Amino acid sequence: MTKLNMTKKRWEAIKNNDKNENDVFIYAVKSTMIFCKPSCKARLPKKENVTLYNDFQDAINLGYRPCKKCNPMGKHTEEEEWCIQIKNYINKYYFEELNLEKITKSCHGS
């Protein structure tokens, strides 16, 4: 586990939602037990509650959970995956006559 030092630059990145720092570190908030990317648009935490890590696995190992707002692990939710599947299906079969029943059956929904 690599805990990083809070530098002025890193705190400014969190305060300013700097996307350029997303691949450099993540921050975990002790009061909420959530970890985020520096670009997260959630409410700014108190600086004393923030711990920095190289990657999300360190935070997970300490019991933190990923922020739902910034999705720091880069994974899609089940709903997002289903929407992507539907979009891909429509793009593939746009020339056919499509209806809701056909789409939901093909994409395993209701």
Side-chain angles (χ1 to χ4, degrees), residues 48-76:
E48 61 267 17
N49 288 333
V50 174
T51 307
L52 306 179
Y53 298 99
N54 279 325
D55 63 49
F56 65 82
Q57 194 59 53
D58 291 335
I60 289 173
N61 291 342
L62 292 169
Y64 290 93
R65 64 187 189 282
C67 173
K68 291 181 180 177
K69 193 165 206 153
C70 71
N71 191 15
M73 294 171 55
K75 294 182 178 178
H76 295 292

PDB file of all heavy atoms in Angstrom, residues 48-76:
ATOM      1  N   GLU A  48      -8.606  17.539   6.190  1.00  0.00           N
ATOM      2  CA  GLU A  48      -8.112  16.619   7.228  1.00  0.00           C
ATOM      3  C   GLU A  48      -8.728  15.226   7.132  1.00  0.00           C
ATOM      4  O   GLU A  48      -8.226  14.274   7.742  1.00  0.00           O
ATOM      5  CB  GLU A  48      -8.322  17.203   8.634  1.00  0.00           C
ATOM      6  CG  GLU A  48      -9.771  17.467   8.996  1.00  0.00           C
ATOM      7  CD  GLU A  48     -10.249  18.885   8.687  1.00  0.00           C
ATOM      8  OE1 GLU A  48      -9.607  19.597   7.910  1.00  0.00           O
ATOM      9  OE2 GLU A  48     -11.305  19.258   9.233  1.00  0.00           O
ATOM     10  N   ASN A  49      -9.804  15.064   6.365  1.00  0.00           N
ATOM     11  CA  ASN A  49     -10.438  13.754   6.184  1.00  0.00           C
ATOM     12  C   ASN A  49      -9.939  13.021   4.948  1.00  0.00           C
ATOM     13  O   ASN A  49     -10.383  11.909   4.663  1.00  0.00           O
ATOM     14  CB  ASN A  49     -11.958  13.907   6.080  1.00  0.00           C
ATOM     15  CG  ASN A  49     -12.589  14.265   7.400  1.00  0.00           C
ATOM     16  OD1 ASN A  49     -12.058  13.941   8.452  1.00  0.00           O
ATOM     17  ND2 ASN A  49     -13.710  14.942   7.356  1.00  0.00           N
ATOM     18  N   VAL A  50      -9.030  13.635   4.194  1.00  0.00           N
ATOM     19  CA  VAL A  50      -8.583  13.086   2.909  1.00  0.00           C
ATOM     20  C   VAL A  50      -7.233  12.378   3.041  1.00  0.00           C
ATOM     21  O   VAL A  50      -6.305  12.907   3.634  1.00  0.00           O
ATOM     22  CB  VAL A  50      -8.487  14.210   1.852  1.00  0.00           C
ATOM     23  CG1 VAL A  50      -7.889  13.684   0.556  1.00  0.00           C
ATOM     24  CG2 VAL A  50      -9.852  14.825   1.599  1.00  0.00           C
ATOM     25  N   THR A  51      -7.175  11.177   2.462  1.00  0.00           N
ATOM     26  CA  THR A  51      -5.933  10.426   2.352  1.00  0.00           C
ATOM     27  C   THR A  51      -5.743  10.097   0.876  1.00  0.00           C
ATOM     28  O   THR A  51      -6.704   9.738   0.187  1.00  0.00           O
ATOM     29  CB  THR A  51      -5.992   9.119   3.168  1.00  0.00           C
ATOM     30  OG1 THR A  51      -6.363   9.420   4.510  1.00  0.00           O
ATOM     31  CG2 THR A  51      -4.661   8.406   3.172  1.00  0.00           C
ATOM     32  N   LEU A  52      -4.513  10.197   0.391  1.00  0.00           N
ATOM     33  CA  LEU A  52      -4.221   9.955  -1.017  1.00  0.00           C
ATOM     34  C   LEU A  52      -3.540   8.607  -1.218  1.00  0.00           C
ATOM     35  O   LEU A  52      -2.736   8.179  -0.391  1.00  0.00           O
ATOM     36  CB  LEU A  52      -3.295  11.055  -1.554  1.00  0.00           C
ATOM     37  CG  LEU A  52      -3.757  12.493  -1.359  1.00  0.00           C
ATOM     38  CD1 LEU A  52      -2.722  13.452  -1.923  1.00  0.00           C
ATOM     39  CD2 LEU A  52      -5.103  12.737  -1.984  1.00  0.00           C
ATOM     40  N   TYR A  53      -3.883   7.959  -2.338  1.00  0.00           N
ATOM     41  CA  TYR A  53      -3.291   6.674  -2.683  1.00  0.00           C
ATOM     42  C   TYR A  53      -2.928   6.644  -4.161  1.00  0.00           C
ATOM     43  O   TYR A  53      -3.492   7.392  -4.960  1.00  0.00           O
ATOM     44  CB  TYR A  53      -4.266   5.528  -2.385  1.00  0.00           C
ATOM     45  CG  TYR A  53      -4.625   5.427  -0.924  1.00  0.00           C
ATOM     46  CD1 TYR A  53      -5.804   5.949  -0.446  1.00  0.00           C
ATOM     47  CD2 TYR A  53      -3.750   4.830  -0.017  1.00  0.00           C
ATOM     48  CE1 TYR A  53      -6.123   5.885   0.908  1.00  0.00           C
ATOM     49  CE2 TYR A  53      -4.059   4.760   1.328  1.00  0.00           C
ATOM     50  CZ  TYR A  53      -5.245   5.288   1.777  1.00  0.00           C
ATOM     51  OH  TYR A  53      -5.553   5.232   3.113  1.00  0.00           O
ATOM     52  N   ASN A  54      -2.009   5.743  -4.508  1.00  0.00           N
ATOM     53  CA  ASN A  54      -1.616   5.573  -5.912  1.00  0.00           C
ATOM     54  C   ASN A  54      -2.752   5.016  -6.767  1.00  0.00           C
ATOM     55  O   ASN A  54      -2.925   5.412  -7.904  1.00  0.00           O
ATOM     56  CB  ASN A  54      -0.410   4.638  -6.035  1.00  0.00           C
ATOM     57  CG  ASN A  54       0.883   5.352  -5.767  1.00  0.00           C
ATOM     58  OD1 ASN A  54       1.043   6.516  -6.093  1.00  0.00           O
ATOM     59  ND2 ASN A  54       1.815   4.659  -5.158  1.00  0.00           N
ATOM     60  N   ASP A  55      -3.481   4.060  -6.220  1.00  0.00           N
ATOM     61  CA  ASP A  55      -4.582   3.478  -6.990  1.00  0.00           C
ATOM     62  C   ASP A  55      -5.715   3.036  -6.072  1.00  0.00           C
ATOM     63  O   ASP A  55      -5.573   2.994  -4.859  1.00  0.00           O
ATOM     64  CB  ASP A  55      -4.107   2.330  -7.883  1.00  0.00           C
ATOM     65  CG  ASP A  55      -3.547   1.152  -7.105  1.00  0.00           C
ATOM     66  OD1 ASP A  55      -4.202   0.699  -6.153  1.00  0.00           O
ATOM     67  OD2 ASP A  55      -2.469   0.676  -7.468  1.00  0.00           O
ATOM     68  N   PHE A  56      -6.817   2.693  -6.682  1.00  0.00           N
ATOM     69  CA  PHE A  56      -8.035   2.380  -5.926  1.00  0.00           C
ATOM     70  C   PHE A  56      -7.935   1.101  -5.113  1.00  0.00           C
ATOM     71  O   PHE A  56      -8.629   0.940  -4.118  1.00  0.00           O
ATOM     72  CB  PHE A  56      -9.270   2.361  -6.836  1.00  0.00           C
ATOM     73  CG  PHE A  56      -9.271   1.287  -7.876  1.00  0.00           C
ATOM     74  CD1 PHE A  56      -9.660   0.001  -7.565  1.00  0.00           C
ATOM     75  CD2 PHE A  56      -8.921   1.574  -9.182  1.00  0.00           C
ATOM     76  CE1 PHE A  56      -9.693  -0.987  -8.525  1.00  0.00           C
ATOM     77  CE2 PHE A  56      -8.949   0.599 -10.158  1.00  0.00           C
ATOM     78  CZ  PHE A  56      -9.330  -0.692  -9.827  1.00  0.00           C
ATOM     79  N   GLN A  57      -7.073   0.169  -5.515  1.00  0.00           N
ATOM     80  CA  GLN A  57      -6.975  -1.092  -4.786  1.00  0.00           C
ATOM     81  C   GLN A  57      -6.531  -0.870  -3.343  1.00  0.00           C
ATOM     82  O   GLN A  57      -6.990  -1.555  -2.431  1.00  0.00           O
ATOM     83  CB  GLN A  57      -6.033  -2.063  -5.501  1.00  0.00           C
ATOM     84  CG  GLN A  57      -6.152  -3.476  -5.001  1.00  0.00           C
ATOM     85  CD  GLN A  57      -7.557  -4.040  -5.157  1.00  0.00           C
ATOM     86  OE1 GLN A  57      -8.135  -4.022  -6.236  1.00  0.00           O
ATOM     87  NE2 GLN A  57      -8.127  -4.543  -4.082  1.00  0.00           N
ATOM     88  N   ASP A  58      -5.654   0.104  -3.126  1.00  0.00           N
ATOM     89  CA  ASP A  58      -5.228   0.427  -1.762  1.00  0.00           C
ATOM     90  C   ASP A  58      -6.421   0.867  -0.918  1.00  0.00           C
ATOM     91  O   ASP A  58      -6.579   0.445   0.225  1.00  0.00           O
ATOM     92  CB  ASP A  58      -4.175   1.540  -1.771  1.00  0.00           C
ATOM     93  CG  ASP A  58      -2.858   1.095  -2.366  1.00  0.00           C
ATOM     94  OD1 ASP A  58      -2.574  -0.120  -2.341  1.00  0.00           O
ATOM     95  OD2 ASP A  58      -2.111   1.955  -2.859  1.00  0.00           O
ATOM     96  N   ALA A  59      -7.270   1.708  -1.484  1.00  0.00           N
ATOM     97  CA  ALA A  59      -8.446   2.188  -0.763  1.00  0.00           C
ATOM     98  C   ALA A  59      -9.428   1.049  -0.488  1.00  0.00           C
ATOM     99  O   ALA A  59      -9.970   0.941   0.610  1.00  0.00           O
ATOM    100  CB  ALA A  59      -9.126   3.313  -1.545  1.00  0.00           C
ATOM    101  N   ILE A  60      -9.631   0.198  -1.463  1.00  0.00           N
ATOM    102  CA  ILE A  60     -10.531  -0.950  -1.286  1.00  0.00           C
ATOM    103  C   ILE A  60     -10.028  -1.853  -0.169  1.00  0.00           C
ATOM    104  O   ILE A  60     -10.800  -2.303   0.677  1.00  0.00           O
ATOM    105  CB  ILE A  60     -10.687  -1.739  -2.603  1.00  0.00           C
ATOM    106  CG1 ILE A  60     -11.518  -0.928  -3.595  1.00  0.00           C
ATOM    107  CG2 ILE A  60     -11.322  -3.103  -2.360  1.00  0.00           C
ATOM    108  CD1 ILE A  60     -11.607  -1.529  -4.969  1.00  0.00           C
ATOM    109  N   ASN A  61      -8.732  -2.101  -0.149  1.00  0.00           N
ATOM    110  CA  ASN A  61      -8.142  -2.959   0.886  1.00  0.00           C
ATOM    111  C   ASN A  61      -8.340  -2.396   2.285  1.00  0.00           C
ATOM    112  O   ASN A  61      -8.330  -3.138   3.263  1.00  0.00           O
ATOM    113  CB  ASN A  61      -6.657  -3.173   0.625  1.00  0.00           C
ATOM    114  CG  ASN A  61      -6.403  -4.022  -0.606  1.00  0.00           C
ATOM    115  OD1 ASN A  61      -7.283  -4.727  -1.088  1.00  0.00           O
ATOM    116  ND2 ASN A  61      -5.204  -3.932  -1.139  1.00  0.00           N
ATOM    117  N   LEU A  62      -8.537  -1.087   2.385  1.00  0.00           N
ATOM    118  CA  LEU A  62      -8.758  -0.445   3.680  1.00  0.00           C
ATOM    119  C   LEU A  62     -10.247  -0.246   3.997  1.00  0.00           C
ATOM    120  O   LEU A  62     -10.595   0.386   4.983  1.00  0.00           O
ATOM    121  CB  LEU A  62      -8.025   0.893   3.724  1.00  0.00           C
ATOM    122  CG  LEU A  62      -6.499   0.756   3.729  1.00  0.00           C
ATOM    123  CD1 LEU A  62      -5.836   2.099   3.494  1.00  0.00           C
ATOM    124  CD2 LEU A  62      -6.030   0.158   5.053  1.00  0.00           C
ATOM    125  N   GLY A  63     -11.118  -0.769   3.155  1.00  0.00           N
ATOM    126  CA  GLY A  63     -12.549  -0.727   3.428  1.00  0.00           C
ATOM    127  C   GLY A  63     -13.315   0.414   2.790  1.00  0.00           C
ATOM    128  O   GLY A  63     -14.499   0.585   3.041  1.00  0.00           O
ATOM    129  N   TYR A  64     -12.659   1.206   1.947  1.00  0.00           N
ATOM    130  CA  TYR A  64     -13.361   2.283   1.250  1.00  0.00           C
ATOM    131  C   TYR A  64     -14.136   1.715   0.070  1.00  0.00           C
ATOM    132  O   TYR A  64     -13.783   0.678  -0.482  1.00  0.00           O
ATOM    133  CB  TYR A  64     -12.363   3.327   0.734  1.00  0.00           C
ATOM    134  CG  TYR A  64     -11.703   4.138   1.815  1.00  0.00           C
ATOM    135  CD1 TYR A  64     -10.486   3.752   2.357  1.00  0.00           C
ATOM    136  CD2 TYR A  64     -12.297   5.300   2.300  1.00  0.00           C
ATOM    137  CE1 TYR A  64      -9.865   4.495   3.356  1.00  0.00           C
ATOM    138  CE2 TYR A  64     -11.686   6.050   3.293  1.00  0.00           C
ATOM    139  CZ  TYR A  64     -10.480   5.644   3.813  1.00  0.00           C
ATOM    140  OH  TYR A  64      -9.876   6.386   4.797  1.00  0.00           O
ATOM    141  N   ARG A  65     -15.189   2.418  -0.329  1.00  0.00           N
ATOM    142  CA  ARG A  65     -15.967   1.998  -1.491  1.00  0.00           C
ATOM    143  C   ARG A  65     -15.894   3.089  -2.560  1.00  0.00           C
ATOM    144  O   ARG A  65     -15.691   4.265  -2.237  1.00  0.00           O
ATOM    145  CB  ARG A  65     -17.403   1.682  -1.108  1.00  0.00           C
ATOM    146  CG  ARG A  65     -18.199   2.854  -0.590  1.00  0.00           C
ATOM    147  CD  ARG A  65     -19.576   2.400  -0.075  1.00  0.00           C
ATOM    148  NE  ARG A  65     -20.426   3.523   0.221  1.00  0.00           N
ATOM    149  CZ  ARG A  65     -20.366   4.280   1.302  1.00  0.00           C
ATOM    150  NH1 ARG A  65     -19.444   4.037   2.225  1.00  0.00           N
ATOM    151  NH2 ARG A  65     -21.189   5.286   1.485  1.00  0.00           N
ATOM    152  N   PRO A  66     -16.076   2.726  -3.830  1.00  0.00           N
ATOM    153  CA  PRO A  66     -15.956   3.716  -4.907  1.00  0.00           C
ATOM    154  C   PRO A  66     -17.116   4.704  -4.928  1.00  0.00           C
ATOM    155  O   PRO A  66     -18.255   4.358  -4.626  1.00  0.00           O
ATOM    156  CB  PRO A  66     -15.935   2.874  -6.178  1.00  0.00           C
ATOM    157  CG  PRO A  66     -16.544   1.574  -5.799  1.00  0.00           C
ATOM    158  CD  PRO A  66     -16.299   1.377  -4.335  1.00  0.00           C
ATOM    159  N   CYS A  67     -16.818   5.918  -5.290  1.00  0.00           N
ATOM    160  CA  CYS A  67     -17.817   6.978  -5.434  1.00  0.00           C
ATOM    161  C   CYS A  67     -18.728   6.646  -6.615  1.00  0.00           C
ATOM    162  O   CYS A  67     -18.261   6.244  -7.682  1.00  0.00           O
ATOM    163  CB  CYS A  67     -17.086   8.298  -5.679  1.00  0.00           C
ATOM    164  SG  CYS A  67     -18.154   9.692  -6.074  1.00  0.00           S
ATOM    165  N   LYS A  68     -20.020   6.816  -6.434  1.00  0.00           N
ATOM    166  CA  LYS A  68     -20.962   6.559  -7.517  1.00  0.00           C
ATOM    167  C   LYS A  68     -20.982   7.715  -8.513  1.00  0.00           C
ATOM    168  O   LYS A  68     -21.374   7.548  -9.655  1.00  0.00           O
ATOM    169  CB  LYS A  68     -22.365   6.322  -6.961  1.00  0.00           C
ATOM    170  CG  LYS A  68     -22.477   5.023  -6.208  1.00  0.00           C
ATOM    171  CD  LYS A  68     -23.866   4.797  -5.683  1.00  0.00           C
ATOM    172  CE  LYS A  68     -23.938   3.479  -4.922  1.00  0.00           C
ATOM    173  NZ  LYS A  68     -25.254   3.258  -4.334  1.00  0.00           N
ATOM    174  N   LYS A  69     -20.549   8.864  -8.068  1.00  0.00           N
ATOM    175  CA  LYS A  69     -20.587  10.046  -8.932  1.00  0.00           C
ATOM    176  C   LYS A  69     -19.454  10.042  -9.964  1.00  0.00           C
ATOM    177  O   LYS A  69     -19.679  10.289 -11.136  1.00  0.00           O
ATOM    178  CB  LYS A  69     -20.522  11.304  -8.085  1.00  0.00           C
ATOM    179  CG  LYS A  69     -20.869  12.555  -8.821  1.00  0.00           C
ATOM    180  CD  LYS A  69     -21.130  13.690  -7.855  1.00  0.00           C
ATOM    181  CE  LYS A  69     -22.046  14.665  -8.543  1.00  0.00           C
ATOM    182  NZ  LYS A  69     -22.852  15.409  -7.651  1.00  0.00           N
ATOM    183  N   CYS A  70     -18.219   9.753  -9.520  1.00  0.00           N
ATOM    184  CA  CYS A  70     -17.075   9.835 -10.445  1.00  0.00           C
ATOM    185  C   CYS A  70     -16.614   8.476 -10.968  1.00  0.00           C
ATOM    186  O   CYS A  70     -15.773   8.424 -11.858  1.00  0.00           O
ATOM    187  CB  CYS A  70     -15.916  10.574  -9.802  1.00  0.00           C
ATOM    188  SG  CYS A  70     -15.065   9.676  -8.471  1.00  0.00           S
ATOM    189  N   ASN A  71     -17.121   7.389 -10.404  1.00  0.00           N
ATOM    190  CA  ASN A  71     -16.802   6.047 -10.887  1.00  0.00           C
ATOM    191  C   ASN A  71     -15.287   5.843 -11.000  1.00  0.00           C
ATOM    192  O   ASN A  71     -14.767   5.611 -12.090  1.00  0.00           O
ATOM    193  CB  ASN A  71     -17.499   5.831 -12.233  1.00  0.00           C
ATOM    194  CG  ASN A  71     -17.470   4.408 -12.692  1.00  0.00           C
ATOM    195  OD1 ASN A  71     -17.183   3.496 -11.934  1.00  0.00           O
ATOM    196  ND2 ASN A  71     -17.757   4.207 -13.952  1.00  0.00           N
ATOM    197  N   PRO A  72     -14.547   5.934  -9.882  1.00  0.00           N
ATOM    198  CA  PRO A  72     -13.086   5.905  -9.943  1.00  0.00           C
ATOM    199  C   PRO A  72     -12.456   4.603 -10.423  1.00  0.00           C
ATOM    200  O   PRO A  72     -11.294   4.581 -10.795  1.00  0.00           O
ATOM    201  CB  PRO A  72     -12.667   6.197  -8.501  1.00  0.00           C
ATOM    202  CG  PRO A  72     -13.810   5.722  -7.675  1.00  0.00           C
ATOM    203  CD  PRO A  72     -15.031   6.000  -8.499  1.00  0.00           C
ATOM    204  N   MET A  73     -13.219   3.541 -10.460  1.00  0.00           N
ATOM    205  CA  MET A  73     -12.681   2.263 -10.930  1.00  0.00           C
ATOM    206  C   MET A  73     -12.901   2.089 -12.425  1.00  0.00           C
ATOM    207  O   MET A  73     -12.419   1.142 -13.025  1.00  0.00           O
ATOM    208  CB  MET A  73     -13.308   1.110 -10.153  1.00  0.00           C
ATOM    209  CG  MET A  73     -12.920   1.128  -8.685  1.00  0.00           C
ATOM    210  SD  MET A  73     -13.806  -0.048  -7.657  1.00  0.00           S
ATOM    211  CE  MET A  73     -13.518  -1.594  -8.464  1.00  0.00           C
ATOM    212  N   GLY A  74     -13.647   3.001 -13.029  1.00  0.00           N
ATOM    213  CA  GLY A  74     -13.869   2.953 -14.465  1.00  0.00           C
ATOM    214  C   GLY A  74     -14.826   1.874 -14.920  1.00  0.00           C
ATOM    215  O   GLY A  74     -14.909   1.576 -16.090  1.00  0.00           O
ATOM    216  N   LYS A  75     -15.548   1.287 -14.001  1.00  0.00           N
ATOM    217  CA  LYS A  75     -16.501   0.233 -14.360  1.00  0.00           C
ATOM    218  C   LYS A  75     -17.882   0.841 -14.564  1.00  0.00           C
ATOM    219  O   LYS A  75     -18.252   1.815 -13.937  1.00  0.00           O
ATOM    220  CB  LYS A  75     -16.575  -0.816 -13.255  1.00  0.00           C
ATOM    221  CG  LYS A  75     -15.296  -1.581 -13.075  1.00  0.00           C
ATOM    222  CD  LYS A  75     -15.449  -2.631 -12.002  1.00  0.00           C
ATOM    223  CE  LYS A  75     -14.181  -3.426 -11.843  1.00  0.00           C
ATOM    224  NZ  LYS A  75     -14.284  -4.421 -10.792  1.00  0.00           N
ATOM    225  N   HIS A  76     -18.635   0.215 -15.456  1.00  0.00           N
ATOM    226  CA  HIS A  76     -20.005   0.644 -15.685  1.00  0.00           C
ATOM    227  C   HIS A  76     -20.933  -0.060 -14.693  1.00  0.00           C
ATOM    228  O   HIS A  76     -20.683  -1.197 -14.311  1.00  0.00           O
ATOM    229  CB  HIS A  76     -20.468   0.282 -17.101  1.00  0.00           C
ATOM    230  CG  HIS A  76     -19.721   0.987 -18.175  1.00  0.00           C
ATOM    231  ND1 HIS A  76     -19.815   2.333 -18.386  1.00  0.00           N
ATOM    232  CD2 HIS A  76     -18.853   0.540 -19.101  1.00  0.00           C
ATOM    233  CE1 HIS A  76     -19.059   2.683 -19.397  1.00  0.00           C
ATOM    234  NE2 HIS A  76     -18.454   1.606 -19.846  1.00  0.00           N
TER     235      HIS A  76
END
